[in-house]
Amino acid sequence: MSHPEIEPYDHGMLDVGDGHHVYWEVCGNPNGKPAVVVHGGPGSGCRPRHRTYFDPEVYRVVLFDQRNCGRSAPHASEPVVDLSANTTDHLLRDMEQLREHLGIEKWLVFGGSWGAVLSVTYALRHPERVSEMVITAVATGRHSEIEWLIRGFGALAPEAYERFRAGVPDPGEDISAAYHRLLMDPDPAVHRKAAEDWCAWEDAIATVPPGRDVEHEPWEPRFQLAFARLVTHYFSNRCWVEDDELAREAHALKDIPGVIVHGQLDLSALAGNPWVLHNAWEGSELVIVERGAHGTGTTEAIVAAIDEFSP
């Protein structure tokens, strides 16, 4: 079970430079233990449900929208937007600016999916600022993981994959780069179709079994375009993380207590990912949730892991 729904007691827009302003909010106990939520995507934005992972009597919870998404500005859905100042290094610097702005010495870092990659990278760069870490829906930024999502997964959902490949002129090239060019095309008819095609594939790989039609609320067009632009921007640049970098360097996390929560049926981020990280990160705890999937079925384990670090 999750904790009660809460509203922020403070929020704002932080000028992080490069013409970017990052939305942030704080909720829970103003005098509580600091924690930060690092959302996924890239481009998903922070969500109200993220607040419910934390005991509001115990934690001072910071949430923020990464560059160009959510309530941050400029938004990636704008007709003309420059994403050149949106890289992994930029996001890590934003986290440090936000921590300093809020007067926080160190915080518990929670991240899922892409947020797991960013969280681990942040902890490797700034270990003195991380009290503990909880990550879920684990990705490690290996290039094979991105290839799995844009090519390898096709064998599990062949019909959806054929439609996905048909959305780009030359499916033999890097699919994420090809989609990104279409998504950045100034013609609304071109970039809207590319966003619909990309997000239809996102839907296909999120189901168990893969490719199964699932009824859900339609993608909001502004969110859909921004999300697709940001994901393909990062994927086509392999997230600006060296291949196997996090797995090679994770031994440096040995002094940071951490819990890795992963769904057994998470086909988007295969179970091998958390095992790789767990084996490299001495002292980490690995929790595999039976029947858990990517972002579903793991809430109870996430809450338990965060509660474990309550003061």
Side-chain angles (χ1 to χ4, degrees):
M1 291 183 59
S2 56
H3 290 288
E5 294 185 7
I6 51 176
E7 293 297 322
Y9 65 79
D10 195 10
H11 69 278
M13 297 287 283
L14 179 65
D15 184 347
V16 293
D18 310 308
H20 285 264
H21 292 79
V22 167
Y23 171 83
W24 60 269
E25 62 184 39
V26 189
C27 56
N29 181 350
N31 299 311
K33 177 176 180 172
V36 62
V37 174
V38 186
H39 69 70
S44 294
C46 60
R47 307 290 180 84
R49 66 179 173 84
H50 294 148
R51 306 171 192 156
T52 67
Y53 294 153
F54 299 83
D55 183 342
E57 300 295 323
V58 172
Y59 283 100
R60 177 189 178 195
V61 187
V62 179
L63 301 95
F64 70 101
D65 291 328
Q66 295 162 26
R67 292 189 180 204
N68 297 120
C69 75
R71 288 150 288 188
S72 293
H75 199 261
S77 66
E78 293 180 7
V80 178
V81 64
D82 180 6
L83 300 181
S84 62
N86 188 334
T87 69
T88 299
D89 282 347
H90 286 100
L91 301 187
L92 296 173
R93 289 201 293 271
D94 294 349
M95 290 177 65
E96 275 297 273
Q97 285 195 54
L98 180 57
R99 182 190 60 76
E100 293 171 358
H101 175 73
L102 296 175
I104 293 171
E105 182 68 21
K106 59 181 359 183
W107 45 16
L108 180 151
V109 177
F110 167 72
S113 194
W114 157 247
V117 177
L118 197 56
S119 295
V120 173
T121 308
Y122 176 83
L124 289 171
R125 302 270 185 93
H126 305 283
E128 74 284 358
R129 301 305 180 191
V130 181
S131 57
E132 303 90 8
M133 189 156 50
V134 176
I135 59 174
T136 188
V138 180
T140 66
R142 290 178 296 173
H143 297 175
S144 61
E145 297 170 20
I146 296 173
E147 287 301 317
W148 166 252
L149 291 173
I150 59 177
R151 288 193 186 275
F153 210 106
L156 299 182
E159 290 185 19
Y161 187 62
E162 283 303 313
R163 292 192 293 271
F164 177 56
R165 289 184 57 196
V168 296
D170 180 7
E173 68 172 319
D174 185 295
I175 295 178
S176 55
Y179 263 104
H180 188 67
R181 284 197 300 274
L182 296 173
L183 287 158
M184 299 304 289
D185 192 294
D187 185 343
V190 174
H191 63 237
R192 285 173 186 161
K193 181 181 185 303
E196 291 170 359
D197 290 344
W198 182 273
C199 291
W201 178 241
E202 292 276 351
D203 283 340
I205 65 178
T207 63
V208 179
R212 181 169 62 92
D213 289 334
V214 176
E215 289 188 8
H216 63 79
E217 291 294 320
W219 289 75
E220 192 276 317
R222 183 171 178 267
F223 173 88
Q224 183 182 59
L225 179 58
F227 175 80
R229 281 177 168 175
L230 288 168
V231 170
T232 55
H233 174 59
Y234 272 78
F235 278 14
S236 59
N237 287 286
R238 297 303 181 262
C239 298
W240 290 274
V241 175
E242 290 184 16
D243 199 12
D244 287 330
E245 176 183 346
L246 301 191
R248 289 197 314 268
E249 303 298 330
H251 62 87
L253 302 174
K254 62 183 178 60
D255 295 326
I256 299 176
V259 180
I260 301 166
V261 177
H262 198 78
Q264 186 183 47
L265 300 179
D266 188 342
L267 299 179
S268 298
L270 296 179
N273 298 347
W275 278 104
V276 167
L277 185 59
H278 172 58
N279 289 334
W281 179 5
E282 182 182 342
S284 63
E285 177 186 354
L286 176 60
V287 179
I288 300 294
V289 181
E290 187 177 356
R291 293 187 295 278
H294 196 74
T296 61
T298 55
T299 296
E300 186 173 344
I302 292 169
V303 171
I306 293 172
D307 284 349
E308 181 180 322
F309 295 124
S310 297

